[in-house]
Amino acid sequence: MSVRIAPSILSADFAALGDAVRSAERGGADAIHVDVMDGHFVPNLTVGPPVVRALKRVAQVPLDVHLMIEAPDRYLNVFAAAGADALSVHVEASPHLHRTLAAIKALGMRAGVALNPSTSVTAIEEVAGDVDLVIVMSVNPGFGGQQFIPRSLEKVRATRALLARAGNPAPITVDGGVDGTNAAALVASGAALLVAGSAIFSQDDPEAATRALRAAADAATTKESA
């Protein structure tokens, strides 16, 4: 199966967000990634449910909402109502993770869990059978345009092994510093969905940049089948 691409609006022009989304979709985007930051869990403020609601009106692909916030349980209902198709919370911010994941699913969304670079994969061992997706952060969350952490490749492999032991084929998403130079290696390590912000929306032509990233990622699957 081909790798999926989820452009992150964190690097998009917010004055023309609808145009940015449509451009990425023309390039073959499989989802739109929405980073929600509260200025507490991470040192930045971004968007909330109103932006998700607005995106839902224009996006033709699912909205993959990533909550980088404290006490995420307080906001599950409002993001579901806004139109999130998948909702991911951080293990570091969710002391009752099993309950949170169950609540997300009960609201009709796919339930994901995210891991910061310094958090061990073992932190999700007890919920490995319950997640619909896992986000491996390959930068320290908070800002776009950061440099990819090379050790993330091994973390993706470890996450894939953990999910396999749990009998869960849930996809692994990689978020942070993803571009054409590391896409193939990430896919070869077990990533199924690549989140990219600067590599798409900081380019002159986001449509072409989306296609180029997919081509770079597909190089790994082509090599495996050769």
Side-chain angles (χ1 to χ4, degrees):
M1 185 175 66
S2 177
V3 64
R4 300 173 68 230
I5 304 296
S8 169
I9 65 165
L10 185 62
S11 298
D13 180 359
F14 275 54
L17 202 49
D19 290 340
V21 168
R22 284 186 284 268
S23 180
E25 288 179 337
R26 288 194 301 271
D30 300 287
I32 298 298
H33 190 80
V34 185
D35 288 311
V36 178
M37 305 180 188
D38 63 1
H40 297 282
F41 182 68
V42 293
N44 195 7
L45 285 167
T46 55
V47 302
V51 172
V52 173
R53 190 174 297 111
L55 287 169
K56 192 67 175 180
R57 293 198 297 268
V58 299
Q60 301 299 308
V61 296
L63 298 182
D64 180 23
V65 179
H66 179 185
L67 299 185
M68 303 183 191
I69 64 175
E70 293 180 350
D73 298 63
R74 299 178 184 177
Y75 305 99
L76 305 183
N77 285 281
V78 293
F79 279 103
D85 295 287
L87 199 66
S88 296
V89 299
H90 271 261
V91 62
E92 304 87 359
S94 306
H96 306 290
L97 189 55
H98 182 273
R99 182 172 66 193
T100 301
L101 294 171
I104 293 171
K105 292 182 181 184
L107 290 166
M109 298 175 288
R110 296 174 66 232
V113 62
L115 294 162
N116 278 342
S118 63
T119 300
S120 171
V121 173
T122 59
I124 63 168
E125 188 167 8
E126 297 302 324
V127 296
D130 304 305
V131 296
D132 293 320
L133 65 110
V134 176
I135 299 177
V136 174
M137 293 301 301
S138 44
V139 299
N140 289 292
F143 299 94
Q146 296 186 67
Q147 186 173 359
F148 178 81
I149 299 173
R151 195 171 181 277
S152 302
L153 293 169
E154 177 55 38
K155 193 166 187 177
V156 172
R157 286 190 285 268
T159 303
R160 182 75 273 152
L162 176 65
L163 291 171
R165 290 195 297 272
N168 187 353
I172 297 172
T173 297
V174 179
D175 183 359
V178 174
D179 60 23
T181 68
N182 51 41
L186 285 166
V187 174
S189 296
L193 190 148
L194 303 181
V195 173
S198 297
I200 291 176
F201 289 124
S202 293
Q203 308 306 309
D204 292 335
D205 186 345
E207 179 181 345
T210 303
R211 289 198 183 98
L213 182 61
R214 182 185 299 282
D218 281 347
T221 55
T222 302
K223 186 178 295 184
E224 288 176 1
S225 60

Short mmCIF file of all heavy atoms in Angstrom, two decimals, residues 91 97 113-115 119-129 131 133-134 159 162-163:
data_model
loop_
_atom_site.label_atom_id
_atom_site.label_comp_id
_atom_site.label_asym_id
_atom_site.label_seq_id
_atom_site.Cartn_x
_atom_site.Cartn_y
_atom_site.Cartn_z
N VAL A 91 0.75 11.19 25.06
CA VAL A 91 0.84 10.34 26.24
C VAL A 91 1.32 11.16 27.44
O VAL A 91 0.90 10.93 28.58
CB VAL A 91 1.76 9.13 25.97
CG1 VAL A 91 3.18 9.56 25.66
CG2 VAL A 91 1.75 8.17 27.16
N LEU A 97 -4.88 7.51 29.87
CA LEU A 97 -4.85 7.39 28.41
C LEU A 97 -5.87 6.40 27.88
O LEU A 97 -6.51 6.64 26.85
CB LEU A 97 -3.44 7.00 27.97
CG LEU A 97 -3.14 7.02 26.48
CD1 LEU A 97 -3.47 8.38 25.87
CD2 LEU A 97 -1.67 6.68 26.23
N VAL A 113 -2.40 8.35 19.58
CA VAL A 113 -1.55 8.79 20.68
C VAL A 113 -0.22 9.24 20.10
O VAL A 113 0.29 8.63 19.15
CB VAL A 113 -1.36 7.68 21.74
CG1 VAL A 113 -0.68 6.47 21.15
CG2 VAL A 113 -0.59 8.19 22.94
N ALA A 114 0.32 10.34 20.63
CA ALA A 114 1.57 10.90 20.14
C ALA A 114 2.66 10.77 21.19
O ALA A 114 2.39 10.86 22.40
CB ALA A 114 1.39 12.37 19.77
N LEU A 115 3.89 10.61 20.71
CA LEU A 115 5.06 10.45 21.57
C LEU A 115 6.08 11.54 21.26
O LEU A 115 6.51 11.68 20.12
CB LEU A 115 5.72 9.08 21.33
CG LEU A 115 4.93 7.85 21.73
CD1 LEU A 115 5.50 6.62 21.03
CD2 LEU A 115 4.95 7.65 23.23
N THR A 119 10.29 10.60 24.89
CA THR A 119 9.40 9.62 25.52
C THR A 119 9.61 8.25 24.90
O THR A 119 9.57 8.09 23.68
CB THR A 119 7.93 10.04 25.35
OG1 THR A 119 7.73 11.32 25.95
CG2 THR A 119 7.00 9.04 26.02
N SER A 120 9.80 7.26 25.75
CA SER A 120 10.03 5.90 25.27
C SER A 120 8.77 5.31 24.65
O SER A 120 7.65 5.60 25.09
CB SER A 120 10.49 5.02 26.44
OG SER A 120 10.52 3.65 26.05
N VAL A 121 8.98 4.47 23.67
CA VAL A 121 7.87 3.75 23.05
C VAL A 121 7.12 2.91 24.08
O VAL A 121 5.91 2.70 23.98
CB VAL A 121 8.40 2.86 21.91
CG1 VAL A 121 7.31 1.97 21.36
CG2 VAL A 121 8.98 3.73 20.81
N THR A 122 7.80 2.45 25.12
CA THR A 122 7.15 1.62 26.13
C THR A 122 6.05 2.36 26.88
O THR A 122 5.22 1.73 27.54
CB THR A 122 8.18 1.11 27.14
OG1 THR A 122 8.84 2.22 27.77
CG2 THR A 122 9.24 0.24 26.46
N ALA A 123 6.01 3.68 26.76
CA ALA A 123 4.97 4.46 27.45
C ALA A 123 3.57 4.13 26.93
O ALA A 123 2.59 4.39 27.62
CB ALA A 123 5.24 5.96 27.29
N ILE A 124 3.47 3.56 25.74
CA ILE A 124 2.16 3.22 25.20
C ILE A 124 1.93 1.71 25.17
O ILE A 124 0.96 1.24 24.55
CB ILE A 124 1.95 3.81 23.79
CG1 ILE A 124 2.96 3.24 22.79
CG2 ILE A 124 2.03 5.33 23.83
CD1 ILE A 124 2.63 3.56 21.34
N GLU A 125 2.76 0.96 25.84
CA GLU A 125 2.66 -0.50 25.79
C GLU A 125 1.29 -0.99 26.25
O GLU A 125 0.72 -1.92 25.66
CB GLU A 125 3.76 -1.13 26.64
CG GLU A 125 3.86 -2.63 26.50
CD GLU A 125 5.13 -3.18 27.09
OE1 GLU A 125 5.88 -2.43 27.74
OE2 GLU A 125 5.39 -4.38 26.90
N GLU A 126 0.74 -0.39 27.31
CA GLU A 126 -0.52 -0.87 27.86
C GLU A 126 -1.74 -0.50 27.01
O GLU A 126 -2.83 -1.01 27.26
CB GLU A 126 -0.70 -0.33 29.29
CG GLU A 126 0.36 -0.82 30.27
CD GLU A 126 0.41 -2.34 30.37
OE1 GLU A 126 -0.66 -2.98 30.29
OE2 GLU A 126 1.52 -2.89 30.51
N VAL A 127 -1.57 0.41 26.05
CA VAL A 127 -2.69 0.77 25.16
C VAL A 127 -2.38 0.43 23.71
O VAL A 127 -3.11 0.84 22.81
CB VAL A 127 -3.06 2.26 25.29
CG1 VAL A 127 -3.56 2.58 26.69
CG2 VAL A 127 -1.89 3.17 24.91
N ALA A 128 -1.32 -0.34 23.48
CA ALA A 128 -0.90 -0.64 22.11
C ALA A 128 -1.98 -1.35 21.32
O ALA A 128 -2.05 -1.23 20.09
CB ALA A 128 0.38 -1.47 22.12
N GLY A 129 -2.84 -2.09 22.00
CA GLY A 129 -3.92 -2.78 21.31
C GLY A 129 -5.15 -1.94 21.09
O GLY A 129 -6.09 -2.37 20.42
N VAL A 131 -5.06 1.65 20.20
CA VAL A 131 -4.90 2.85 19.38
C VAL A 131 -5.26 2.58 17.92
O VAL A 131 -5.10 1.47 17.42
CB VAL A 131 -3.45 3.39 19.46
CG1 VAL A 131 -3.13 3.84 20.88
CG2 VAL A 131 -2.45 2.34 18.99
N LEU A 133 -3.96 4.86 15.68
CA LEU A 133 -2.75 5.37 15.05
C LEU A 133 -1.80 5.84 16.12
O LEU A 133 -2.21 6.13 17.25
CB LEU A 133 -3.06 6.52 14.08
CG LEU A 133 -3.63 7.81 14.69
CD1 LEU A 133 -2.60 8.93 14.61
CD2 LEU A 133 -4.90 8.24 13.97
N VAL A 134 -0.52 5.89 15.79
CA VAL A 134 0.51 6.40 16.69
C VAL A 134 1.31 7.47 15.94
O VAL A 134 1.73 7.24 14.80
CB VAL A 134 1.47 5.29 17.16
CG1 VAL A 134 2.59 5.88 18.03
CG2 VAL A 134 0.71 4.22 17.93
N THR A 159 8.31 1.25 17.46
CA THR A 159 6.85 1.40 17.56
C THR A 159 6.14 0.35 16.73
O THR A 159 5.15 -0.25 17.18
CB THR A 159 6.42 2.81 17.11
OG1 THR A 159 7.12 3.79 17.88
CG2 THR A 159 4.93 3.01 17.28
N LEU A 162 6.29 -2.89 18.59
CA LEU A 162 5.37 -2.90 19.73
C LEU A 162 3.94 -3.16 19.27
O LEU A 162 3.22 -3.98 19.86
CB LEU A 162 5.45 -1.57 20.47
CG LEU A 162 4.48 -1.37 21.64
CD1 LEU A 162 4.78 -2.36 22.76
CD2 LEU A 162 4.53 0.05 22.16
N LEU A 163 3.51 -2.48 18.22
CA LEU A 163 2.16 -2.68 17.70
C LEU A 163 1.99 -4.10 17.17
O LEU A 163 0.92 -4.70 17.34
CB LEU A 163 1.87 -1.66 16.60
CG LEU A 163 1.74 -0.20 17.06
CD1 LEU A 163 1.66 0.73 15.85
CD2 LEU A 163 0.51 -0.01 17.95
#
